[in-house]
C-alpha cells in the first residue's frame, strides 16, 4: 500500500519522508521531529481510511454484474427485495474473497523483498569489512549503513504495510456482518426506488438503482469521516460539501 507520507524517489534522488528531505548536513529541529511530523495532523487517520474505503473497498463493475446475474437468470434487470438482499450478500462475499487474495499475494511479495534486502545487507557488510578502512569508498560505506538500517527496520515497515493491506478485508467484513444495517439499506432502497412489476404489482428495483445506491456508500465515505475528524457534521449544520474535493489516494502498489 502506498502511504502518502512516504515518497520513493527516482534512482539517485533523495528520499522524502513527511514532505521533508535532508539537505547536506543541515538538521531540521530536534531528533525525531521529522518522524513525528508525519502524525501531527489529527485527520490523517480519517483521511486515509476514507480514501481507502473509496478506492480499495469499492466494488468493480465485474463484481456488480456477476452478483446481480447470479440472482437474475432471466436478465430482467429487476428483482424483489429478498433477491436484492441476496445480491448484496453475494457481492460482499465476492469482494471479500478478492480482497483476501490480493492481500495474500502482496504479503508474499513483501516477504520476498524483505528477505532479499537482508541478504544484500549481509553481503555488502561482509565485503566492506574485508577491506582496509582506507580502501573503503564513501559510497560503499553509506550503502552498507543504509542497507543495515533498512534490513533491521523492514519487519516494522512490513507489519505496517500488512495492516494497510488488511483494510479492505476488514471494512468489507464489518459491512457484511452488520445484518441490521444491510436490511435497512435494502429496505430504504425499496422505499425510495421500488416500482410495481407486471400484473401482480410486486415491488422491484432495477439493477441500475441498486448499483448507484451501493456505490454512493463508498464515494461518500471520505466526506463522512472528514466530518468526524473535524468535529463538523449535522450538529454544526455543515453539509460536508467542502470535503468532496479531497484528492487523497489509497492504492496497493
Amino acid at each position: 500500500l502506498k502511504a502518502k507520507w512516504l515518497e520513493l524517489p527516482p534512482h539517485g534522488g533523495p528520499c522524502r519522508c513527511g514532505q521533508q528531505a535532508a539537505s547536506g548536513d543541515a538538521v531540521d529541529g530536534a531528533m525525531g521531529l521529522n518522524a513525528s511530523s508525519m502524525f501531527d495532523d489529527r485527520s490523517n487517520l480519517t483521511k486515509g481510511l476514507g480514501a481507502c474505503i473509496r478506492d480499495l473497498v469499492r466494488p468493480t463493475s465485474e463484481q456488480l454484474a456477476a452478483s446481480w446475474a447470479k440472482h437474475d437468470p432471466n436478465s430482467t434487470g429487476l428483482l424483489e427485495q429478498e433477491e436484492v438482499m441476496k445480491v448484496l450478500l453475494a457481492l460482499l462475499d465476492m469482494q471479500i474473497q478478492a480482497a483476501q487474495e490480493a492481500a495474500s499475494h502482496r504479503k508474499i511479495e513483501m516477504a520476498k523483498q524483505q528477505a532479499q534486502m537482508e541478504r544484500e545487507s549481509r553481503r555488502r557488510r561482509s565485503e566492506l569489512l574485508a577491506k582496509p578502512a582506507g580502501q573503503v569508498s564513501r559510497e560503499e560505506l553509506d550503502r552498507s549503513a543504509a542497507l543495515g538500517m533498512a534490513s533491521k527496520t523492514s519487519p516494522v515497515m512490513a507489519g505496517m504495510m500488512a495492516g494497510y493491506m488488511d483494510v479492505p478485508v476488514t471494512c468489507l467484513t464489518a459491512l457484511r456482518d452488520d445484518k441490521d444495517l444491510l436490511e435497512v439499506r435494502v429496505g430504504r432502497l425499496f422505499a425510495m426506488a421500488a416500482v410495481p412489476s407486471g400484473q401482480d404489482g410486486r415491488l422491484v428495483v432495477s439493477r441500475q438503482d441498486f448499483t448507484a445506491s451501493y456505490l454512493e456508500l463508498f464515494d461518500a465515505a471520505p466526506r463522512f469521516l472528514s466530518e468526524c475528524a473535524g468535529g463538523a457534521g449535522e450538529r454544526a449544520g455543515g453539509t460536508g460539501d467542502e470535503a468532496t474535493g479531497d484528492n487523497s489516494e489509497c492504492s496497493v502498489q
Side-chain angles (χ1 to χ4, degrees), residues 218-236:
F218 305 101
D219 293 337
R223 173 166 61 89
F224 296 144
L225 296 185
S226 178
E227 290 173 355
C228 175
E234 295 183 359
R235 293 196 311 272

Side-chain angles (χ1 to χ4, degrees), residues 46-226:
T46 50
K47 283 185 178 180
L49 284 174
C52 285
I53 291 173
R54 180 193 62 205
D55 298 338
L56 298 184
V57 185
R58 182 186 176 93
T60 65
S61 57
E62 292 79 10
Q63 290 169 340
L64 286 163
S67 60
W68 185 276
K70 182 178 180 181
H71 297 279
D72 185 17
N74 296 325
S75 300
T76 64
L78 300 169
L79 289 176
E80 297 180 45
Q81 185 164 342
E82 182 178 351
E83 294 302 311
V84 170
M85 175 61 76
K86 293 179 180 178
V87 170
L88 181 55
L89 292 173
L91 175 57
L92 284 166
D93 286 339
M94 196 177 300
Q95 288 181 265
I96 291 171
Q97 181 179 355
Q100 288 173 334
E101 292 174 354
S104 177
H105 173 73
R106 296 299 182 184
K107 288 176 183 178
I108 291 173
E109 290 299 316
M110 190 164 51
K112 292 179 180 179
Q113 294 173 15
Q114 182 179 341
Q116 180 181 358
M117 184 182 299
E118 291 173 352
R119 288 195 300 269
E120 183 68 4
S121 175
R122 290 193 297 268
R123 183 180 73 83
R124 295 285 187 175
R125 185 176 186 276
S126 177
E127 292 176 354
L128 184 147
L129 294 178
K131 297 180 179 181
Q135 297 181 12
V136 176
S137 69
R138 175 65 180 271
E139 183 175 337
E140 288 176 313
L141 180 59
D142 288 349
R143 179 187 292 113
S144 183
L147 285 170
M149 289 188 290
S151 65
K152 293 298 183 182
T153 56
S154 61
V156 178
M157 181 63 77
M160 293 170 60
M161 295 177 69
Y164 288 135
M165 294 171 191
D166 287 334
V167 167
V169 176
T170 305
C171 286
L172 290 165
T173 300
L175 185 60
R176 181 196 61 187
D177 291 347
D178 197 335
K179 296 297 193 298
D180 291 337
L181 285 186
L182 293 183
E183 290 177 359
V184 172
R185 179 173 298 279
V186 173
R188 183 185 184 281
L189 174 62
F190 270 76
M192 301 299 293
V195 295
S197 174
Q199 296 180 351
D200 55 10
R202 292 178 302 169
L203 292 179
V204 295
V205 297
S206 67
R207 172 183 164 184
Q208 290 79 5
D209 286 333
F210 168 78
T211 298
S213 175
Y214 189 59
L215 293 181
E216 284 174 1
L217 164 63
F218 305 101
D219 293 337
R223 173 166 61 89
F224 296 144
L225 296 185
S226 178

